[in-house]
Amino acid sequence: MVRQAIVAGNWKMHGTRAENQQLLQTINDGLAAVTASQVLVFPTYVYIQQVAELITEMNSPIGLGGQNLSEHAKGAYTGEISAAMLKDLECSHVLVGHSERRSLYHESNQLVASKFIAASEAGLTPVFCVGESLAERESGRTMDIVFRQIDAVLDIAGMTGLCKGIIAYEPVWAIGTGVTASPQQAQDVHHEIRSHLAELDEQLANEMQILYGGSVNATNATELFAMEDIDGGLIGGAALKADDFLKICIAAG
Ligand code: 13P
């Protein structure tokens, strides 16, 4: 079974209108060299509309997503953004449970699972982020932590529901640190995740796209993406540099 590769750029809290335009234009111009992989960008909320308009103007194959969403459908939730709003702005995807949301904004496994459901019900594809901290890895608890994160979604969405999303394994110790998981370290976790899912449904587990994120760059992407269970990347810092991002897209095939 061949899973389509995905390269997703999480722009985090970066960008101006001018920078977004320049970045998107350069990526789009260079994408002619890339054939098979799906390329997605995740700007901050306030620039989603701008990026959606640029994508349309450029007649670009680049897909668009939000970095977060509310677990609620609508109502008195000052400062929050709903799944339906993201959909209305032409997003197809949304990140849920990024480790920065989990650690800095105290999002629990249960809250992340609710956001996953809210996204899915609105017709967005959740890019569901999981991963362990350095202390958790060093104490041998990586898979325990990752399975707990995944099981929180499985408990309320079931295997069919989970498989409407994409998983992104992002070890917290590798995010923004320049320390990448080795291809084998990443592959081992991806393989464990797939085996965990295969206990419930082998075919769906084989179809599940599992991305790696954490200090992916133009140099290490090829080796990471060559691993059997790594189906592309969720890119932070390198997604803000058009040339590096394009090299990563090319590495994904
Ligand atoms: P870096 O690529 O900057 O390590 O960030 C990864 C990430 O958090 C993507 O969501």
Side-chain angles (χ1 to χ4, degrees):
M1 136 104 243
V2 179
R3 296 175 293 268
Q4 186 190 25
I6 299 175
V7 179
N10 175 7
W11 292 0
K12 305 193 180 181
M13 199 173 72
H14 294 287
T16 62
R17 288 170 56 79
E19 286 166 358
N20 300 340
Q21 153 113 46
Q22 177 74 51
L23 181 57
L24 202 78
Q25 183 77 59
T26 315
I27 295 170
N28 190 56
D29 291 350
L31 274 185
V34 183
T35 46
S37 49
Q38 183 181 21
V39 177
L40 302 167
V41 293
F42 295 78
T44 59
Y45 289 141
V46 291
Y47 294 129
I48 286 174
Q49 173 148 7
Q50 180 209 8
V51 174
E53 285 168 5
L54 288 169
I55 287 172
T56 304
E57 267 167 42
M58 293 175 195
N59 196 19
S60 172
I62 296 171
L64 181 62
Q67 296 177 12
N68 180 31
L69 80 165
S70 170
E71 70 277 27
H72 301 292
K74 62 160 88 167
Y77 302 104
T78 302
E80 291 291 281
I81 308 283
S82 73
M85 291 168 187
L86 294 175
K87 190 85 181 134
D88 191 34
L89 292 178
E90 291 164 33
C91 288
S92 52
H93 290 68
V94 62
L95 303 183
V96 297
H98 190 280
S99 71
E100 286 148 20
R101 300 294 322 168
R102 291 178 188 269
S103 66
L104 302 173
Y105 303 98
H106 316 295
E107 294 195 6
S108 66
N109 284 344
Q110 284 62 38
L111 178 61
V112 172
S114 308
K115 291 186 174 199
F116 185 106
I117 297 287
S120 241
E121 282 178 350
L124 294 167
T125 302
V127 179
F128 169 43
C129 305
V130 298
E132 82 289 2
S133 68
L134 186 59
E136 288 160 347
R137 171 163 285 261
E138 287 178 342
S139 58
R141 294 167 60 220
T142 298
M143 293 323 304
D144 178 36
I145 296 295
V146 169
F147 289 164
R148 253 197 266 170
Q149 292 167 337
I150 291 176
D151 291 349
V153 172
L154 279 173
D155 282 349
I156 56 171
M159 182 63 179
T160 319
L162 175 71
C163 292
K164 289 190 182 133
I166 295 163
I167 292 179
Y169 169 57
E170 297 204 303
V172 178
W173 48 272
I175 296 179
T177 57
V179 181
T180 322
S182 71
Q184 193 58 53
Q185 274 175 322
Q187 164 61 24
D188 289 347
V189 175
H190 284 226
H191 180 72
E192 293 273 357
I193 292 173
R194 206 179 296 288
S195 306
H196 185 64
L197 300 182
E199 286 169 20
L200 297 171
D201 187 316
E202 200 167 340
Q203 190 188 333
L204 287 178
N206 279 333
E207 289 169 6
M208 184 58 140
Q209 290 156 306
I210 309 178
L211 313 184
Y212 169 77
S215 296
V216 178
N217 58 40
T219 311
N220 60 27
T222 304
E223 259 194 309
L224 284 161
F225 298 164
M227 304 310 285
E228 185 171 348
D229 288 294
I230 301 183
D231 306 313
L234 179 55
I235 321 300
L240 300 171
K241 300 179 204 140
D243 291 344
D244 289 14
F245 189 68
L246 278 170
K247 282 187 192 140
I248 296 169
C249 293
I250 291 164

